[in-house]
Amino acid sequence: MTSLQGFEFLIQRTGGLAFVDYTQTIAFSRAEGRFNSPDGVAASIRVIGPGLVAEVRIISLGHQQWETNLLSGQWQASDPRYSFNPAALFSPNTGI
C-alpha cells in the first residue's frame, strides 16, 4: 500500500466495540472514504454513543484534523481527546 498514491475504502467493524475516545463512550462502527498517501484522509465515520448513532465527516492531513460536530454538523478542529484519525488504519507500522 505504501506505493499507492491513494485509494477508496469501506470498513465495517464487527465483533466487540472499538472506542474512539479516551472515556470509552463513543464507538466506531463504519468508515467510508478516500486515503491519499502518505497521511491524508477524507471520510464519513459512523459512531455509536449512549442513545446516539451518528455520521461524522473527517478530514485529516498529517497532524491536522477537522470533523463535523456530532450534534450541529458544523465543521470544527478535532479535539484529540475525542477524535478518531482514520489515517491510523493505514499506517505501515500499526495499521491494517
Side-chain angles (χ1 to χ4, degrees):
M1 285 191 337
T2 57
S3 65
L4 297 175
Q5 290 183 347
F7 52 87
E8 293 182 356
F9 61 88
L10 172 61
I11 298 170
Q12 180 76 39
R13 181 200 48 81
T14 60
L17 295 175
F19 293 102
V20 298
D21 64 325
Y22 75 97
T23 60
Q24 296 191 342
T25 56
I26 300 172
F28 163 84
S29 172
R30 180 179 189 268
E32 180 175 8
R34 174 141 182 96
F35 174 82
N36 292 311
S37 188
D39 56 7
V41 175
S44 291
I45 310 295
R46 183 172 300 148
V47 293
I48 303 167
L52 171 75
V53 175
E55 292 282 331
V56 176
R57 293 173 42 206
I58 294 176
I59 296 174
S60 178
L61 299 169
H63 295 292
Q64 296 180 334
Q65 185 166 308
W66 301 268
E67 63 189 32
T68 54
N69 183 282
L70 277 174
L71 303 176
S72 70
Q74 296 293 317
W75 283 98
Q76 61 191 29
S78 295
D79 182 336
R81 296 176 299 165
Y82 298 105
S83 63
F84 166 67
N85 185 342
L89 296 170
F90 308 110
S91 164
N93 299 323
T94 60
I96 57 173

